[in-house]
Amino acid sequence: MNTNTPQTKIATFGELLLRMGIANGNRFTQAKEMQVHIGGAEANVCVLLSQLGINTNYITRLPSNDLSQLALNELHKYNVNTTDCIYGGDRIGLYFIESGNQIRQSQVIYDRNNSAFATIAEDAINWDQVLENTTHFHWSGISPGVSNEAGLVCKKAILAAHNKGITISSDFNFRTKLWQYGKSPSEIMPELLYYSTITVADLDSTEIYFDIKTDKNDSDSNRFLKTYELLKEKMPHLQTLAMSFRKSEGQTHLYSGMLFHEGNFYESKQYLIHLVTDQIGSGDAFTAGLLYSLKNNLSGQECIDWATACGVIKQSVVGDFAITTPEEINHFIKNGSSNRINR
């Protein structure tokens, strides 16, 4: 089902990154070569939405050099518009990833201090102009976590979108290794999240940003519903809350999603994931699937089924981007995973 109209245009703001992956399952201290991918939460969302047929406009600040062009070329492959990106600064943000396995966790090292994005000036982007003809603005907690400057620009974008009557969505996206510039997330995030009508959150970030606590011995669904009830007091415009849940049982992951939308609660089925190829970007794929289904006026159950399916499929794809199609997602929702060859 696809009732998307050409007028739908989703704009996002965030940092575009080079991802440097340690090859062949080695540790950082064993590295002799690295694999380059492009990533960044909001870029990941745009790439999947564009593959699903929605017009996207990705906005960031980059240095004017060939590494930036490499990153932008990857977005252009998936028809993401980048004409409103601005240029300046000396370096693109980097992050390094050491892939884990069933025994040890994956490890990330950020190299984003003083990047072009982190040093963006508060008035560098004319948001009234950039958001012209935009129907939806999406951002995540990563941007205000990078630097105070990036947070101020994000705030300007949110206020401009709100004043224009544009739908605003957010992803809580707390990263413990960010927020190194002297501000705590609870000082910054509540004011920015105030204007969201759609948000993707998780129980840990909700506690960090709003000091909202739920009983850890309670069921996930009860904790989710209690969180919505308490978040609504902090985010008065909130209409739609979604969360993905991951649990490990030995070498198997259980992945599912929950949604509160238009006064009703919906839950996906649980998916057993026996092999995770690449977990990074699965939350962004979940978000993109949710936004796609909401923009196409799918039912609440279809929305959470789509979001969860996108999150699962991403974990089979190397890199930050979820490379998939509407047909593949629909097939997965209907039939689940399969080792059969499509031929």
Side-chain angles (χ1 to χ4, degrees):
M1 177 180 180
N2 188 342
T3 59
N4 176 52
T5 63
Q7 287 75 32
T8 299
K9 181 180 177 183
I10 296 181
T12 70
F13 173 69
E15 183 167 26
L16 193 59
L17 300 164
L18 295 186
R19 163 178 160 173
M20 315 298 289
I22 308 304
N24 304 318
N26 287 314
R27 307 212 68 171
F28 284 128
T29 53
Q30 297 175 297
K32 294 182 174 62
E33 58 181 313
M34 296 185 183
Q35 298 169 330
V36 180
H37 289 93
I38 309 305
E42 296 78 13
N44 300 342
V45 170
C46 280
V47 166
L48 180 49
L49 284 173
S50 290
Q51 291 174 86
L52 300 179
I54 287 184
N55 295 324
T56 59
N57 184 23
Y58 179 72
I59 303 147
T60 192
R61 182 179 188 243
L62 292 164
S64 183
N65 61 34
D66 285 349
L67 292 179
S68 298
Q69 194 59 54
L70 164 69
L72 291 172
N73 287 347
E74 285 299 302
L75 298 186
H76 297 160
K77 280 171 58 176
Y78 301 102
N79 296 317
V80 175
N81 179 57
T82 64
T83 54
D84 288 313
C85 291
I86 62 171
Y87 298 90
D90 299 320
R91 57 187 299 268
I92 192 171
L94 307 174
Y95 82 97
F96 299 83
I97 174 74
E98 171 192 293
S99 296
N101 48 38
Q102 300 297 341
I103 299 171
R104 57 180 169 81
Q105 290 182 308
S106 297
Q107 302 291 333
V108 168
I109 296 175
Y110 290 119
D111 183 13
R112 302 167 76 161
N113 289 342
N114 299 312
S115 67
F117 184 82
T119 56
I120 189 171
E122 184 177 357
D123 295 319
I125 297 171
N126 182 339
W127 288 108
D128 282 334
Q129 178 179 323
V130 166
L131 295 177
E132 196 68 30
N133 301 318
T134 295
T135 58
H136 188 115
F137 178 72
H138 177 73
W139 65 282
S140 89
I142 290 179
S143 294
V146 169
S147 69
N148 185 58
E149 292 85 351
L152 291 173
V153 178
C154 194
K155 180 179 178 180
K156 287 244 179 185
I158 293 165
L159 291 174
H162 178 71
N163 290 335
K164 285 177 171 288
I166 294 169
T167 300
I168 299 172
S169 66
S170 53
D171 186 335
F172 277 32
N173 254 353
F174 174 70
R175 296 291 182 266
T176 56
K177 292 187 177 181
L178 298 179
W179 296 97
Q180 301 298 315
Y181 59 91
K183 297 278 189 179
S184 71
S186 60
E187 291 179 78
I188 304 296
M189 290 298 292
E191 182 183 10
L192 301 183
L193 290 165
Y194 180 90
Y195 299 95
S196 297
T197 58
I198 303 164
T199 202
V200 175
D202 61 87
L203 298 172
D204 292 336
S205 297
T206 304
E207 182 173 345
I208 290 166
Y209 294 161
F210 291 104
D211 197 31
I212 289 175
K213 300 175 183 178
T214 54
D215 185 351
K216 295 182 179 180
N217 296 317
D218 208 347
S219 66
D220 287 339
S221 57
N222 284 343
R223 296 183 72 192
F224 173 87
L225 289 168
K226 183 64 174 178
T227 298
Y228 176 82
E229 179 185 325
L230 296 173
L231 265 182
K232 186 71 171 145
E233 298 173 6
K234 311 285 187 178
M235 300 171 63
H237 300 281
L238 184 62
Q239 298 174 8
T240 304
L241 171 68
M243 292 187 189
S244 60
F245 292 84
R246 180 191 304 275
K247 299 181 186 300
S248 296
E249 291 190 358
Q251 295 186 348
T252 300
H253 291 250
L254 287 173
Y255 188 88
S256 62
M258 295 183 190
L259 173 71
F260 194 90
H261 176 60
E262 295 182 341
N264 293 301
F265 171 72
Y266 304 93
E267 186 172 6
S268 78
K269 66 180 182 181
Q270 285 193 326
Y271 289 95
L272 290 171
I273 306 176
H274 297 287
L275 175 65
V276 175
T277 301
D278 193 333
Q279 186 175 318
I280 292 178
S282 58
D284 304 321
F286 178 91
T287 298
L290 176 68
L291 296 180
Y292 167 83
S293 53
L294 289 171
K295 285 298 179 183
N296 281 282
N297 298 313
L298 302 189
S299 70
Q301 188 61 52
E302 289 172 313
C303 285
I304 195 57
D305 289 344
W306 258 83
T308 305
C310 289
V312 174
I313 290 171
K314 164 61 197 75
Q315 295 173 71
S316 70
V317 183
V318 175
D320 280 42
F321 299 159
I323 311 302
T324 186
T325 63
E327 293 75 21
E328 188 172 62
I329 297 164
N330 275 318
H331 183 271
F332 180 84
I333 293 171
K334 183 177 179 181
N335 301 292
S337 59
S338 172
N339 292 324
R340 299 188 65 180
I341 298 173
N342 181 16
R343 60 184 174 187

